[in-house]
Amino acid sequence: MLKLTPTFDLQRDVVSDIFRREASVCRVPEYSGAVDTCILNIERDGGILYSWKGAAGTTRIGRYDSNTKQNKLLYTFDKQVCVSSCSLNEEETLLAVSLAQNPSRDERLQPISKCLTLLIEIHPINNTQVLKAVDCRVKVQFLNSGTDGRSVLESHLLLLTEDGYVDLYHVLLTKQEGYRVVMANPERLSKTAERIVEDFCWAQWDGHTQRLHYVAHHPTHTQNQFLMRCVQFYPNHNCETVLELPLELPATFFPTVKFVNLGFDHYHVEKPEQGPVSMKVFTNRIGSMCVCYSQPPTDKQELIYTVVLVHKDCSKTFTVSLGGDQPSHRGARLHPLFIPIGYHILVYLQGHFLHCINTRQQEMLCHSLFLSGVDVDMGLRCQSANIAVLCAEEESSGGLLDSANGRIYTAELNPSFLLHILRSDTPSRCPSSKADPQRLAALHCLLVYMGDDPSLELKIIEWLCDNMSAFESFDQIQEFILASLYRISYEKSLSLDKVLPYSSVLDKKEIPACLLEVPGVLCTTELHIEPVFKGKARSLQGFWSELQWNTERTKYLHAVPNPRYRTSHIQADWEKLKSERRPSGHRNNTEENTKKVLSMVDTWCLDKKLVPLFQEEDHQQRALIGLTVDKLREHLNRHLPRLGKKKIDSLVVNYVAKLLELIRHMLESVWQKHKLGPRVLCLKQQGTPAEWSVFHFMFRILEATRGLCLPLPPGYHTLLAVFAVRCLPHHTFLQYIDHGLLQLTETFVSRLMTDLDNGAANERLKFSILKRLPEPMGQRIYHMWDHPFSSASISRDYTRTLLERHDNKGCAFPSRDKPGFTPEFLPLTYLAKILSDIEEQALNPFGEQENVDAKFVEETALKQTLILLGLGEK
């Protein structure tokens, strides 16, 4: 399920260097002793602090630079000590250390504290100051502004104690002798401490964002009511509480104080009755925040965990059955891991299940992948109890620390595994209707989270080609189109989640039951979680401003009807626009929209001419393109005015252009898969099996886009008709036209008339097509067909046009005195005079037309006259 990439290996990156260092200390060619090495902390810049038991009974602390791949010795204790917490300041001049003290047999009668916290000058090694000597655990963590602070002579240190309070030390430094950095007034250090948290039972440090999240009992509510607060530290090292979030938790949820992301204590062992508490906070720079926690295990063989989606103003509680009849489940410690992967959160319980929760589109369970049984192996070579989820940068996925083996991995979803779910006939050995939710969730993971990979997208298109029939509960081509379009815009703003189309399932009048329930997991949703943003909105900056906006906008979108744009809603406007006979102001406006979209597509497609699209005027599709832009822009302006009209206009034009480019890309891929060439455009040859497959795929795309009322690239209908006439029997081809499944374009009919000969079968086909054409198009097509029927039709149309345009008032009756007057049959004489006068002023319709038999036209006109006079037979 996961793709684990090792980024650090303690044995490879550190231990080999330690052996060289110890050999130098012992003055031997090669050190053969054992070293007990363990990771202590990972700082904001990626530096890894570690310790090892050195030669001669010493304990050393070093730092591994993940950028330069170099190790540096920071400090050496002249005896063996137990380092339970450690942090290095940004300037690498101070080292804070907490030592877990286990008194020896001789010291047990002497009073000694369980934890000793020291602040050590290491540039160079000089003074050591005792900060705390207490009987509880103490965690240390320097603040890091993320800037180059080499010249800054001030450091700020957090001390978090198991007694439930947090102090912030402001350490002033001074330079001596030009290079020595020492503490100024170390005797006054304790007086600089600032108490920023008075009482907490759980705390998490986020080094990349310099935030402290902590949970405390709510001061004014019942014992089950807790309050999570978020403290933001700014580059100037000021801090403030910016968010308060009430949480309903069992009173016994925190039997002891818990620390998260505050280093790794290898000397503290949880007591069995205390039990593990799984709780994590994840944030993303775009303005999302998730609080994840699992409930304490009960007698029932089930696990209950909650994901509070602050940015969505809701919380989701999931109950997963673990199958109590299996012996391996009895008495097991249920310790799930919460792992951030992009905008997904993975909930993993080793040997039981894996739930990939979609935190952006959380309304339906079928958009979150749930696996159980043999499918949940993540490839970890240790017990999940030895895995620590590392604090991740806001734009990246989380890392995993295997503390048993000293390895750090980056974790990503495995595309091969997700493709296997798509390709499998029955994922997880369940019936087809039960497998559809897994396929749907896997497809969205691949397209939205991982879809920027062209080779991966090509594999998905190949899967679509191999599975062209729609699944029982969803149309995979519609899902491919909407999810791919959602991907190009979802990173711009979280508020687009509730407004842009995401899945065709949400457009169904009745959602299939198998997509509403996922076997093995139950979900309950609670709306309005009531986060409180502290201070005035104008004082919130960056992430907090985005989070507040997303929360408020979500509340608004919950209240208004139909906030999500549904492509099918423009169907009525589309029918109205097609029925317009004359250009209107609205049609002119849609044409301007179309020009913007097609100009963008032309820019993208300069070197992609494999499939002949965008090469003709398709007035219907041009109108639908412009209408789609107009309606989507109107919808976004109504619900998300904060984005601004300019940004919305750019987003919408890009969205529709990507739609057309996506369809072209789908055809390019299938074209290359079947190795089609220019010969497929020749109408004289019968289609091959490969061309039939392409025709079937194109027809499925047509069905999918028509169901969503989405436009197609100009030229698509022409290309589809070419494949249809090559692959289908003529009578079936005509039935497709009569049922509206194929559209006759002028480009296609023109080629049909000129490319096919006038054999009996082709002649019948041409006559059948001519009868199905609108009159204006039919008149233009007649000029292109070298056939007697075409010439006769041209003659009749010419005569009719002349008579219809003639003004009777402008034509005088011929005088009897004029030479050539023949009064034998006055109506015919009058008609001849009118035609003669009009013909002198009219253009010759055959003047610039080819394939016209003048002799035939003359004979036809004479024959028609004789018939009208009753002198001839039809």
Side-chain angles (χ1 to χ4, degrees):
M1 177 61 187
L2 288 186
K3 180 181 178 182
L4 301 177
T5 304
T7 58
F8 173 78
D9 188 321
L10 197 62
Q11 293 294 323
R12 177 195 65 198
D13 299 318
V14 172
V15 173
S16 58
D17 189 76
I18 289 176
F19 276 122
R20 289 193 297 269
R21 194 178 298 274
E22 292 298 326
S24 175
V25 171
C26 297
R27 298 180 181 181
V28 294
E30 184 175 345
Y31 182 72
S32 58
V35 291
D36 181 11
T37 312
C38 56
I39 298 175
L40 299 175
N41 199 0
I42 302 175
E43 298 288 1
R44 180 181 185 178
D45 60 0
I48 300 173
L49 302 181
Y50 56 88
S51 67
W52 76 94
K53 307 295 184 182
T58 61
T59 300
R60 305 181 192 275
I61 296 177
R63 177 182 182 272
Y64 174 79
D65 190 321
S66 58
N67 296 316
T68 63
K69 312 298 182 185
Q70 298 294 319
N71 289 281
K72 179 181 179 181
L73 177 63
L74 299 178
Y75 189 75
T76 300
F77 291 95
D78 56 7
K79 64 178 182 178
Q80 290 195 352
V81 295
C82 301
V83 182
S84 63
S85 182
C86 180
S87 185
L88 180 68
N89 71 340
E90 192 173 0
E91 299 78 28
E92 298 184 16
T93 57
L94 293 177
L95 185 68
V97 178
S98 279
L99 304 179
Q101 300 195 101
N102 296 317
S104 63
R105 183 175 301 176
D106 297 334
E107 296 174 329
R108 287 177 183 175
L109 298 178
Q110 302 176 5
I112 186 170
S113 59
K114 293 182 180 179
C115 181
L116 182 66
T117 304
L118 307 174
L119 186 61
I120 307 170
E121 298 171 354
I122 60 171
H123 190 76
I125 296 172
N126 185 38
N127 185 28
T128 298
Q129 188 72 23
V130 176
L131 296 179
K132 292 282 183 185
V134 292
D135 288 333
C136 64
R137 286 189 298 155
V138 178
K139 293 290 186 178
V140 292
Q141 180 62 57
F142 276 105
L143 301 184
N144 189 318
S145 63
T147 59
D148 185 8
R150 298 295 175 182
S151 61
V152 177
L153 294 177
E154 186 177 8
S155 287
H156 305 268
L157 176 67
L158 285 175
L159 260 70
L160 302 91
T161 71
E162 202 172 21
D163 285 342
Y165 62 86
V166 180
D167 288 341
L168 176 60
Y169 285 78
H170 304 280
V171 184
L172 297 179
L173 303 172
T174 184
K175 279 190 175 183
Q176 295 179 352
E177 302 175 9
Y179 73 98
R180 296 168 58 89
V181 178
V182 299
M183 289 179 278
N185 302 320
E187 68 279 358
R188 295 178 53 86
L189 194 58
S190 60
K191 297 182 180 180
T192 69
E194 174 187 357
R195 182 67 51 89
I196 61 173
V197 177
E198 192 64 46
D199 184 25
F200 73 90
C201 50
W202 175 93
Q204 174 181 314
W205 173 248
D206 190 338
H208 292 287
T209 59
Q210 298 292 284
R211 296 179 194 134
L212 177 66
H213 311 282
Y214 70 93
V215 175
H217 285 281
H218 202 294
T220 60
H221 288 70
T222 63
Q223 60 178 356
N224 285 2
Q225 184 80 43
F226 290 81
L227 194 65
M228 190 185 79
R229 292 188 175 98
C230 302
V231 180
Q232 177 69 63
F233 294 88
Y234 297 107
N236 60 4
H237 303 106
N238 291 330
C239 66
E240 63 175 339
T241 301
V242 291
L243 177 71
E244 291 183 348
L245 179 69
L247 297 174
E248 286 284 348
L249 299 171
T252 58
F253 193 79
F254 301 106
T256 60
V257 171
K258 304 293 181 181
F259 301 104
V260 180
N261 293 342
L262 283 161
F264 313 102
D265 189 347
H266 302 271
Y267 302 98
H268 175 73
V269 179
E270 294 280 358
K271 297 179 180 179
E273 64 272 14
Q274 294 174 345
V277 174
S278 293
M279 186 171 186
K280 280 277 193 175
V281 178
F282 303 113
T283 60
N284 188 285
R285 59 182 173 80
I286 202 172
S288 70
M289 182 176 187
C290 302
V291 182
C292 311
Y293 57 89
S294 64
Q295 299 282 2
T298 62
D299 293 336
K300 297 180 180 179
Q301 285 298 319
E302 63 183 20
L303 180 68
I304 301 174
Y305 52 94
T306 300
V307 178
V308 182
L309 305 168
V310 180
H311 56 287
K312 297 296 184 183
D313 192 35
C314 71
S315 68
K316 314 281 283 190
T317 298
F318 303 92
T319 303
V320 178
S321 174
L322 304 179
D325 56 337
Q326 298 184 24
S328 60
H329 299 157
R330 297 172 187 162
R333 296 181 67 189
L334 304 181
H335 183 60
L337 294 176
F338 296 101
I339 307 171
I341 306 287
Y343 64 90
H344 288 86
I345 290 178
L346 268 64
V347 185
Y348 175 63
L349 186 60
Q350 191 171 28
H352 293 77
F353 73 89
L354 186 145
H355 194 185
C356 184
I357 300 174
N358 188 333
T359 66
R360 298 284 297 267
Q361 298 291 341
Q362 78 292 341
E363 290 96 334
M364 297 181 62
L365 272 174
C366 60
H367 291 136
S368 297
L369 182 61
F370 181 80
L371 301 170
S372 60
V374 297
D375 294 327
V376 301
D377 183 16
M378 291 202 308
L380 298 173
R381 298 180 179 179
C382 65
Q383 295 298 314
S384 60
N386 295 325
I387 296 296
V389 180
L390 303 179
C391 177
E393 293 186 40
E394 289 191 302
E395 63 274 4
S396 64
S397 298
L400 299 177
L401 168 64
D402 177 357
S403 59
N405 298 304
R407 295 191 183 97
I408 296 176
Y409 304 89
T410 58
E412 296 178 325
L413 293 175
N414 190 339
S416 299
F417 181 82
L418 297 174
L419 284 171
H420 174 72
I421 293 178
L422 290 185
R423 293 166 176 163
S424 176
D425 293 333
T426 54
S428 289
R429 300 167 180 79
C430 51
S432 177
S433 61
K434 303 298 183 183
D436 282 0
Q438 287 188 3
R439 288 196 185 98
L440 184 60
L443 181 60
H444 279 270
C445 283
L446 286 166
L447 289 172
V448 181
Y449 173 63
M450 314 182 73
D452 289 333
D453 184 354
S455 62
L456 180 60
E457 191 173 60
L458 182 60
K459 292 177 182 177
I460 299 173
I461 294 175
E462 290 178 353
W463 171 75
L464 292 174
C465 294
D466 297 334
N467 298 270
M468 283 187 273
S469 298
F471 289 127
E472 185 176 335
S473 57
F474 68 94
D475 186 316
Q476 62 269 35
I477 294 182
Q478 288 184 344
E479 294 298 315
F480 176 83
I481 292 173
L482 291 182
S484 298
L485 292 177
Y486 173 77
R487 182 185 72 235
I488 69 171
S489 53
Y490 84 95
E491 290 186 343
K492 299 185 185 335
S493 174
L494 262 176
S495 52
L496 291 169
D497 290 352
K498 193 78 174 175
V499 178
L500 282 181
Y502 177 73
S503 171
S504 62
V505 173
L506 301 173
D507 235 356
K508 292 180 179 290
K509 293 181 180 179
E510 185 176 350
I511 299 176
C514 68
L515 298 183
L516 294 174
E517 297 180 357
V518 175
V521 58
L522 299 177
C523 176
T524 57
T525 301
E526 178 185 349
L527 299 178
H528 311 305
I529 56 175
E530 300 179 354
V532 178
F533 291 89
K534 307 294 288 185
K536 297 181 180 180
R538 66 173 181 270
S539 67
L540 298 176
Q541 302 175 3
F543 165 81
W544 296 109
S545 175
E546 287 297 319
L547 179 61
Q548 184 183 38
W549 157 254
N550 291 329
T551 304
E552 293 175 352
R553 187 49 39 175
T554 298
K555 292 178 181 178
Y556 160 78
L557 295 175
H558 279 157
V560 299
N562 300 320
R564 191 182 297 278
Y565 177 78
R566 300 184 186 275
T567 56
S568 56
H569 284 181
I570 70 172
Q571 187 70 47
D573 296 293
W574 171 229
E575 296 297 336
K576 181 180 178 181
L577 190 63
K578 286 194 295 184
S579 64
E580 289 182 0
R581 298 296 180 186
R582 296 180 180 179
S584 61
H586 184 229
R587 184 179 282 271
N588 292 336
N589 182 49
T590 59
E591 180 60 25
E592 289 301 316
N593 294 335
T594 303
K595 290 178 180 177
K596 292 180 182 179
V597 172
L598 294 182
S599 65
M600 185 173 289
V601 174
D602 288 342
T603 303
W604 291 337
C605 299
L606 289 177
D607 58 339
K608 301 176 181 178
K609 299 295 182 183
L610 184 61
V611 179
L613 297 176
F614 305 103
Q615 297 179 12
E616 65 178 77
E617 292 286 333
D618 188 334
H619 298 290
Q620 275 202 6
Q621 292 307 308
R622 290 179 69 93
L624 184 54
I625 291 170
L627 180 65
T628 303
V629 171
D630 195 46
K631 291 300 179 181
L632 183 54
R633 179 171 52 207
E634 176 186 320
H635 187 82
L636 295 184
N637 278 322
R638 179 166 62 252
H639 291 300
L640 300 176
R642 186 194 187 205
L643 295 180
K645 291 185 177 181
K646 186 174 181 181
K647 185 175 180 179
I648 288 176
D649 188 67
S650 172
L651 188 151
V652 169
V653 171
N654 187 60
Y655 185 91
V656 180
K658 281 290 186 182
L659 164 64
L660 303 180
E661 166 65 9
L662 179 66
I663 295 173
R664 185 209 61 78
H665 177 57
M666 293 169 70
L667 292 189
E668 291 273 357
S669 302
V670 72
W671 207 277
Q672 292 175 339
K673 176 183 178 181
H674 293 286
K675 300 178 181 179
L676 301 186
R679 62 180 178 80
V680 301
L681 304 177
C682 178
L683 299 177
K684 297 179 181 180
Q685 300 176 2
Q686 189 174 2
T688 63
E691 292 163 20
W692 168 259
S693 297
V694 175
F695 165 67
H696 190 191
F697 187 61
M698 290 185 67
F699 192 73
R700 282 286 292 114
I701 293 175
L702 176 66
E703 284 183 323
T705 54
R706 186 171 289 179
L708 296 172
C709 201
L710 292 175
L712 290 164
Y716 189 93
H717 285 287
T718 296
L719 189 60
L720 181 61
V722 169
F723 276 98
V725 80
R726 285 171 56 92
C727 297
L728 298 175
H730 287 174
H731 67 277
T732 306
F733 173 76
L734 296 173
Q735 287 180 344
Y736 272 51
I737 297 172
D738 294 338
H739 286 85
L741 303 178
L742 288 176
Q743 179 180 318
L744 292 174
T745 64
E746 190 166 341
T747 303
F748 166 72
V749 178
S750 301
R751 290 189 53 189
L752 185 81
M753 293 298 173
T754 56
D755 289 4
L756 293 185
D757 59 29
N758 290 330
N762 290 339
E763 189 177 69
R764 284 195 300 270
L765 177 63
K766 293 180 180 180
F767 276 122
S768 300
I769 289 177
L770 287 172
K771 287 191 297 184
R772 289 167 168 81
L773 295 179
E775 186 176 347
M777 185 191 297
Q779 291 177 357
R780 294 190 294 270
I781 295 299
Y782 286 140
H783 293 284
M784 304 175 185
W785 187 20
D786 183 9
H787 192 274
F789 178 80
S790 176
S791 301
S793 177
I794 293 172
S795 301
R796 285 194 301 271
D797 292 341
Y798 171 63
T799 303
R800 186 186 305 113
T801 303
L802 291 178
L803 292 175
E804 288 175 351
R805 293 181 179 177
H806 177 64
D807 184 3
N808 291 330
K809 295 180 180 180
C811 181
F813 193 82
S815 173
R816 292 175 178 267
D817 300 331
K818 288 187 178 181
F821 176 72
T822 54
E824 287 81 4
F825 185 59
L826 293 180
L828 181 59
T829 304
Y830 182 67
L831 177 60
K833 172 61 178 173
I834 291 175
L835 295 177
S836 177
D837 291 345
I838 293 175
E839 192 170 26
E840 291 176 359
Q841 305 171 10
L843 297 175
N844 183 358
F846 303 114
E848 297 182 0
Q849 299 293 335
E850 299 178 357
N851 305 325
V852 177
D853 188 340
K855 181 66 176 175
F856 172 78
V857 174
E858 181 181 348
E859 292 175 355
T860 301
L862 180 58
K863 184 69 174 177
Q864 291 290 334
T865 303
L866 292 174
I867 292 172
L868 292 174
L869 293 175
L871 302 176
E873 296 181 356
K874 293 186 180 181

